[in-house]
Amino acid sequence: MKKIEAIIQPFKFEDVKSALTAAGIEGMTITEVKGFGRQKGHKEIYRGSEYTVDVLPKVKVEVVSTDDKAELVVSTIMQSAKTGKIGDGKVFVFSVEEAYRIRTEESNEKAV
Ligand SMILES: Nc1ncnc2c1ncn2[C@@H]1O[C@H](COP(=O)(O)OP(=O)(O)OP(=O)(O)O)[C@@H](O)[C@H]1O
Ligand SMILES: [Mg+2]
């Protein structure tokens, strides 16, 4: 199993959620987060010096899938979250060792 963790623009969340649902993904976790990438957040010039003003709000989407669906999850997020402008976000993929559905006590591939 894999965990796909995507940091996306908040205004793209509805598009990403719809695309993942259409692709057959049945569960996800969403967190409102803040962060910065290589532009180091928004910058402005103040009295001739450049200051980092803030970290920017982003949405983190986490999906755990079977290995065979992971590529589809990644490509679906990549397509639906893209504007082509800076700050579009990142996708990270992790290996997941175990998963359990608490209600039924199913495990691993049957639990995701
Ligand atoms: N190396 C990283 N580790 C953890 N989180 C990151 C990393 N890079 C980016 N992020 C998260 O992703 C968000 C969006 O990053 P962003 O898309 O600006 O990356 P970037 O590398 O600057 O690419 P771009 O040049 O397209 O803006 C950041 O606000 C941060 O929350
Ligand atoms: Mg950036």
Side-chain angles (χ1 to χ4, degrees):
M1 295 163 291
K2 298 271 195 266
K3 182 171 88 165
I4 297 92
E5 182 179 298
I7 315 290
I8 62 169
Q9 295 278 26
F11 69 87
K12 274 290 190 180
F13 171 65
E14 286 299 328
D15 289 349
V16 171
K17 186 179 68 170
S18 305
L20 285 171
T21 304
I25 294 311
E26 295 180 321
M28 65 180 75
T29 300
I30 314 306
T31 317
E32 291 180 12
V33 295
K34 289 181 182 174
F36 61 85
R38 58 186 178 176
Q39 290 83 18
K40 298 195 166 48
H42 176 67
K43 287 183 168 185
E44 68 178 24
I45 305 298
Y46 178 72
R47 292 186 183 167
S49 303
E50 196 178 57
Y51 287 85
T52 298
V53 171
D54 212 349
V55 291
L56 298 174
K58 302 285 173 180
V59 166
K60 181 165 75 176
V61 179
E62 291 168 276
V63 176
V64 176
S65 77
T66 53
D67 283 346
D68 60 328
K69 275 196 178 172
E71 223 170 283
L72 174 65
V73 174
V74 172
S75 60
T76 300
I77 293 171
M78 298 284 289
Q79 286 162 24
S80 57
K82 182 170 180 173
T83 69
K85 301 196 176 109
I86 59 169
D88 270 357
K90 295 267 168 84
V91 180
F92 304 110
V93 180
F94 305 80
S95 290
V96 171
E97 290 185 8
E98 298 175 18
Y100 301 94
R101 176 174 285 111
I102 294 172
R103 178 177 62 86
T104 57
E105 299 179 27
E106 291 163 294
S107 60
N108 299 335
E109 276 78 6
K110 287 180 181 159
V112 299

